[in-house]
Amino acid sequence: MKQTSARVVVHKTSRYWPDERDGFRSAIEARVRRYDLMALEAQSRVRLITTSKYPPLRGTRFSFGELDYLYTTGYISALREFHGMHVPAPLQVADHIGQDSSRDVLLKEVLALTKLNWNSAALGGLLPITIKFSVLVGEIM
C-alpha cells in the first residue's frame, strides 16, 4: 500500500541491552512514531497454584513489581479442558520499552499471537508466533 507502518512491535526472548535498546529506538523513531519493544521469556520459576483441580486459566495475568507474567497455556473454560501434559508456566514480560501501548493491550496481542501457528493442531502455544517461527527457522539453519 506504499504506506509507512503506523506502529511497530518487536518481540524477543532476552532483555534489551542499553546499546541495543538505543539502536532499536534510533532506527524505529526515524520511520515510525509508535513502537513497543518487548522481552518475553519462557520461564518455569514462577507459577500460580489454584485451589481447583485445573491449572490457571489461559490468559491469566499477574505482576510482581515491573515484571508481568502471562499464562498463554492453561485451562480453557469454554471447552472445560486443559490440553497440556504438565503444569503450565507463564511467560515473563521483563522489558517493555516505548510505552506507546498499554501493557493490557500488548498482553492481549501476545495471547492472540499464540494461536497463529497454523502448522499445529494445538489451540494455542506458549510462545507467540513472532518468536516461535524464529525458533523453528533457527532449528533449520
Side-chain angles (χ1 to χ4, degrees):
M1 295 177 63
K2 298 182 182 181
Q3 290 181 299
T4 302
S5 299
R7 177 173 161 242
V8 171
V9 179
V10 178
H11 293 159
K12 64 181 287 226
T13 58
S14 60
R15 296 187 91 158
Y16 289 87
W17 293 88
D19 290 342
E20 183 182 33
R21 181 182 1 202
D22 294 343
F24 271 111
R25 278 184 174 156
S26 65
I28 292 172
E29 287 176 348
R31 293 167 182 82
V32 179
R33 289 182 301 143
R34 297 179 57 221
Y35 68 92
D36 293 284
L37 309 176
M38 293 181 70
L40 305 169
E41 180 185 353
Q43 58 81 43
S44 61
R45 299 176 306 276
V46 177
R47 291 196 172 124
L48 290 179
I49 305 298
T50 64
T51 57
S52 72
K53 64 180 181 176
Y54 296 107
L57 287 168
R58 181 181 188 279
T60 298
R61 169 198 177 186
F62 62 99
S63 302
F64 289 119
E66 294 294 316
L67 298 177
D68 278 324
Y69 295 87
L70 175 67
Y71 274 93
T72 55
T73 59
Y75 183 72
I76 302 170
S77 59
L79 301 175
R80 297 184 191 154
E81 294 178 340
F82 170 58
H83 288 245
M85 299 297 283
H86 57 84
V87 176
L91 281 179
Q92 179 186 54
V93 182
D95 281 339
H96 174 210
I97 300 157
Q99 311 301 329
D100 282 318
S101 302
S102 72
R103 191 63 72 102
D104 288 338
V105 167
L106 290 168
L107 293 178
K108 284 179 184 176
E109 291 173 350
V110 167
L111 189 63
L113 289 169
T114 63
K115 295 179 77 171
L116 286 179
N117 186 358
W118 296 329
N119 292 321
S120 171
L123 291 171
L126 174 65
L127 299 171
I129 194 63
T130 51
I131 293 174
K132 181 66 176 173
F133 187 76
S134 298
V135 169
L136 294 172
V137 168
E139 288 174 1
I140 293 169
M141 301 300 275

